[in-house]
Amino acid sequence: MLVESVHDRAELAELLLRTPDLRAYELGDLDERFWPYTTWYRRGEALALLFHGAGLPILLALDTPDRFVPLTELVADLRPLLPRRFYAHLSPGVTAALEPEFAADSNGPHLKMALTDPTRLDRWQDTTEVVELTPADLTELGVFYELAYPAHSFVPRMVEQDPYVGVRRGGELLAVAGVHVFSPRYRVAAIGNVATHPQARGQGLASVAVAALCRRLLTSVDRIALNVKADNRAAIALYARLGFSQVAAYTELTFTARP
């Protein structure tokens, strides 16, 4: 079976919407602002995305366990088409399809989670300290993330284009919750860059921020997802308290072509 390059958004949406909690990021990339930076490949029911709009290209090759074999075959066929260096989100077992030609540097196992019980958000109804963040807060956000979350993936366009909220107390920004993907058209969102000031941890402020952000997003979307490192037990417990459930395991890696 040959690899096809897919250019039809309706065809892609049909495939992705079969597992929207798993494929929230890819669904968001169908939006007009991200679409020009995407290249999609299909081999039967298996689908992979190469995204070029965030510095290092990112390969997303994810699927349910019953389709790991065709997904691995698709990724193996893509080896001649991939850049010499790229980041990747891969379902279990897919890494082996790249290793003959690429060296892998793993960023560890991760989990995809999805909001499955939004009623739990009601525990955090007090929004008196929650503020909407705008481009006017960019300087403060930059300082906050360098202190609270140095490994962040925040870039200015996120707060310029998508919902971002913070918890401000005494004029100081103490917690932030933001969005990686927000697509009212495809009714999905993926939250990220959640962080708390080191001196304010343990007070539940991140829960307040995430709950407020989710309630806002649910006025425009049906599904909210996120990615989290599998060893970040505190974050996983926080999201579980807010009504998120684990959807799938995957691995994040950087690949470099062998000499």
Side-chain angles (χ1 to χ4, degrees), residues 130-231:
V130 176
V131 295
E132 180 178 352
L133 300 174
T134 72
D137 301 299
L138 277 172
T139 299
E140 186 179 15
L141 275 168
V143 174
F144 170 85
Y145 277 123
E146 288 305 313
L147 179 65
Y149 186 15
H152 67 87
S153 57
F154 174 77
V155 293
R157 67 161 177 79
M158 293 177 173
V159 76
E160 292 168 354
Q161 299 175 340
D162 297 319
Y164 252 74
V165 302
V167 175
R168 196 183 294 281
R169 181 178 293 170
E172 186 175 7
L173 192 61
L174 297 181
V176 173
V179 171
H180 285 158
V181 169
F182 176 50
S183 174
R185 178 177 180 181
Y186 294 100
R187 307 290 297 176
V188 297
I191 65 174
N193 288 326
V194 177
T196 304
H197 192 288
Q199 296 180 355
R201 288 173 183 161
Q203 301 177 33
L205 300 185
S207 296
V208 172
V210 173
L213 177 62
C214 287
R215 283 195 295 269
R216 174 175 174 180
L217 291 171
L218 286 171
T219 64
S220 303
V221 306
D222 301 319
R223 298 178 182 276
I224 300 175
L226 60 88
N227 297 338
V228 61
K229 293 196 77 168
D231 62 358

Side-chain angles (χ1 to χ4, degrees), residues 9-27:
R9 273 186 276 194
E11 176 185 349
L12 292 166
E14 180 183 357
L15 289 169
L16 296 171
L17 285 168
R18 296 175 185 176
T19 52
D21 291 336
L22 177 64
R23 316 298 283 276
Y25 279 80
E26 292 100 314
L27 281 164

